[in-house]
Amino acid sequence: MATAQFRLFQPPETDRGDAPRTLSVEIFVQPRFSQLELSSVNAVLEVANDVQDRVRFEWSFVSDMPGLVANGNFMVRAEPAIEAEFLKDCMIIIGGEECAAQVWMKRVRAMQRLNRPVVLFSDAATEFVKAGGNGSQPATTHWRDIPILNEIGDFTTLTTHLGEYGNGTLTCAGRGHAMEAVFTLVSDLLGPHERAEMAALLILDGIRGFHRDQPKGHAQGNTFLEGPVKRAIHLMEETIEEPLPITELVKRIGVSSRQLERLFRIQLGSSPAKTYKMIRLKRARSLLTETRMPMIDVALACGFASVSSMSKAFRQAFGMPPNSLRTKQRASE
């Protein structure tokens, strides 16, 4: 597969004890960046420097809003991004709630022209796909955004893999997979012993390859949910548009209504009905903020008979009506 051929950098040309090769990394951040992804990238690069001395990684933060860039109390000092100037050996774009492709796409294009690798995590990968950055090449993003992208366009090359490589660019699920992804890319430059030491220091038991499918939704790949609860949530996520009655849900799972209710209370602290409604409302919230679908279409896509019924449930769950959320989102664009 193409993804397996992706390298963050070319291996050093010599291993004769010469001065270590220095490789520079640009980490592009925007306000409300993903703390998890940023911490993962930092951790892997630091440990890679600790376990060997043939290759030294240097990294700096860049942003279209230079100075202190923050997500809550977590702040980094970023240098200004000047269109396609001062490019590094590699560019990593961190996802986040205010990720906007128009401010970093010129840098991505410049990196591609120079055949230098670009890595985009989660929200950044989503924005890259929306902007048509992958062209006809395969791409992926966090599973949460894949249904949204499929609602707003015909992205035929979009996959559910953990990572996809095309045209010098790696799109990746990010979030909890960010550390594994950077580990995989950096470890190409290290020997087996160094890779083993890195994994031990980072407490990584195993590395999932980019070709692996992501666990999609709460039910898949979740070791915290067990048996009937896991199967029930999987069914709920598969039937958002046409919700099943709880009586039909328990029939398909093969348990009684009372037993399922008890298991949901134990494992999730909620009832099956409330959990089902919240899954649908979260999908509605994503469609409202990420698409321009008419309100009635959002309601029907999320299993509500009318806009008024969705609005009532939405206000109870999130403290505001859906039209207010959409207005607020558009005002920030």
Side-chain angles (χ1 to χ4, degrees):
M1 294 189 59
T3 308
Q5 301 170 5
F6 183 75
R7 287 184 180 274
L8 188 61
F9 305 106
Q10 292 301 315
E13 296 177 359
T14 178
D15 190 22
R16 299 194 301 259
D18 297 339
R21 181 184 180 192
T22 300
L23 297 171
S24 60
V25 181
E26 172 182 311
I27 303 175
F28 198 102
V29 294
Q30 291 173 287
R32 302 182 73 183
F33 53 79
S34 168
Q35 296 183 25
L36 177 59
E37 291 171 2
L38 184 58
S39 299
S40 297
V41 174
N42 267 299
V44 173
L45 294 178
E46 285 179 1
V47 172
N49 280 344
D50 288 343
V51 300
Q52 50 82 45
D53 56 11
R54 288 189 304 121
V55 183
R56 310 309 295 168
F57 295 99
E58 294 183 351
W59 59 98
S60 58
F61 302 104
V62 173
S63 179
D64 58 306
M65 300 181 67
L68 290 177
V69 183
N71 182 354
N73 293 325
F74 192 173
M75 294 180 286
V76 296
R77 186 173 295 279
E79 302 169 0
I82 306 174
E83 292 199 352
E85 301 295 325
F86 308 110
L87 300 173
K88 307 291 187 180
D89 294 317
C90 171
M91 180 180 184
I92 298 176
I93 305 177
I94 302 295
E97 295 181 31
E98 296 183 14
C99 194
Q102 64 267 26
V103 299
W104 41 255
M105 188 60 81
K106 288 183 179 179
R107 295 182 75 77
V108 171
R109 294 303 191 202
M111 291 288 286
Q112 289 174 325
R113 288 193 294 270
L114 294 171
N115 294 316
R116 297 180 187 177
V118 178
V119 181
L120 301 104
F121 287 135
S122 61
D123 306 272
T126 298
E127 294 303 312
F128 183 71
V129 172
K130 283 183 188 177
N134 59 310
S136 61
Q137 299 296 318
T140 191
T141 185
H142 192 277
W143 67 265
R144 171 204 61 191
D145 288 347
I146 291 174
I148 309 301
L149 288 171
N150 287 330
E151 289 280 357
I152 65 176
D154 184 21
F155 300 106
T156 56
T157 60
L158 189 64
T159 79
T160 58
H161 292 166
L162 286 164
E164 287 287 3
Y165 171 65
N167 194 25
T169 302
L170 179 73
T171 49
C172 183
R175 305 301 185 193
H177 186 249
M179 182 173 289
E180 294 174 58
V182 180
F183 179 97
T184 299
L185 299 172
V186 168
S187 66
D188 276 343
L189 301 175
L190 310 181
H193 176 76
E194 294 161 340
R195 288 195 291 268
E197 187 176 356
M198 271 187 69
L201 290 171
L202 294 168
I203 316 180
L204 290 173
D205 289 332
I207 303 296
R208 294 168 290 179
F210 293 131
H211 66 281
R212 290 272 299 277
D213 260 348
Q214 300 177 47
K216 296 176 286 295
H218 297 84
Q220 297 189 34
N222 195 327
T223 59
F224 296 97
L225 300 178
E226 300 175 358
V229 173
K230 190 170 186 175
R231 296 198 300 273
I233 291 180
H234 177 66
L235 266 176
M236 292 173 183
E237 292 171 338
E238 292 292 314
T239 56
I240 288 175
E241 189 170 350
E242 297 182 4
L244 298 171
I246 298 300
T247 53
E248 176 64 22
L249 195 73
V250 296
K251 182 179 178 181
R252 294 194 187 189
I253 297 169
V255 298
S256 68
S257 297
R258 178 177 291 183
Q259 182 182 5
L260 190 65
E261 184 86 21
R262 182 178 64 83
L263 290 172
F264 263 73
R265 293 290 180 189
I266 292 171
Q267 294 187 40
L268 297 177
S270 182
S271 69
K274 288 182 178 179
T275 302
Y276 208 169
K277 181 179 284 187
M278 184 54 69
I279 288 171
R280 293 159 51 209
L281 286 169
K282 286 183 176 179
R283 174 65 61 81
R285 184 173 62 183
S286 295
L287 290 174
L288 287 165
T289 57
E290 297 292 337
T291 78
R292 296 188 179 273
M293 290 172 63
M295 201 77 73
I296 182 61
D297 290 345
V298 173
L300 295 175
C302 298
F304 294 96
S306 65
V307 172
S308 61
S309 63
M310 179 182 72
S311 296
K312 181 180 178 181
F314 202 93
R315 186 191 292 272
Q316 290 173 344
F318 303 121
M320 68 171 69
N323 58 341
S324 295
L325 176 66
R326 175 163 275 181
T327 300
K328 182 180 177 182
Q329 175 69 20
R330 289 181 179 175
S332 66
E333 292 176 352

